[in-house]
Amino acid sequence: MAQKQLTSTEDLNQFVAETGKRLLFKHSTTCPISATAYSEFQSFLQEQSVPAAVIHVIEDRPVSNAVAERFGIKHESPQIFLLDDGQVKWHTSHWKITKDSITEAVKA
């Protein structure tokens, strides 16, 4: 399933307001660790049908900051969140973002 790119706080609010499980990935387009994590995220999405969105943290800094403020979770990059009915059920960052870790979180 393809993911949306969130470029405004309105996009973020709409994505979070939707019901059910969904993944939100904060991606730094200049970081090699983020590139690896993003590849794991994409690999997961090729096999699983979960609504997903990505925020480019450098290009869309206000949206990235809004995530940290909204959920009270310190900003990191790369960072992934599993939302369920608008609430964070799981999150992790950096090398812990793997296809397997995402799969386990979504199943839980």
Side-chain angles (χ1 to χ4, degrees), residues 22-92:
R22 53 199 49 256
L23 293 166
L24 179 59
F25 186 90
K26 290 171 69 173
H27 178 44
S28 171
T29 55
T30 62
C31 172
I33 295 170
S34 195
T36 300
Y38 187 72
S39 178
E40 292 283 322
F41 175 59
Q42 292 301 308
S43 182
F44 170 84
L45 291 179
Q46 287 176 357
E47 296 182 10
Q48 302 290 326
S49 181
V50 177
V54 64
I55 298 168
H56 291 168
V57 298
I58 296 169
E59 297 83 351
D60 297 308
R61 176 79 59 199
V63 185
S64 176
N65 291 342
V67 172
E69 292 169 22
R70 180 180 197 133
F71 298 115
I73 297 170
K74 180 182 167 241
H75 165 75
E76 297 190 69
S77 175
Q79 189 172 33
I80 191 168
F81 301 85
L82 173 65
L83 305 175
D84 195 354
D85 293 336
Q87 301 298 312
V88 175
K89 299 300 180 185
W90 171 82
H91 67 93
T92 195

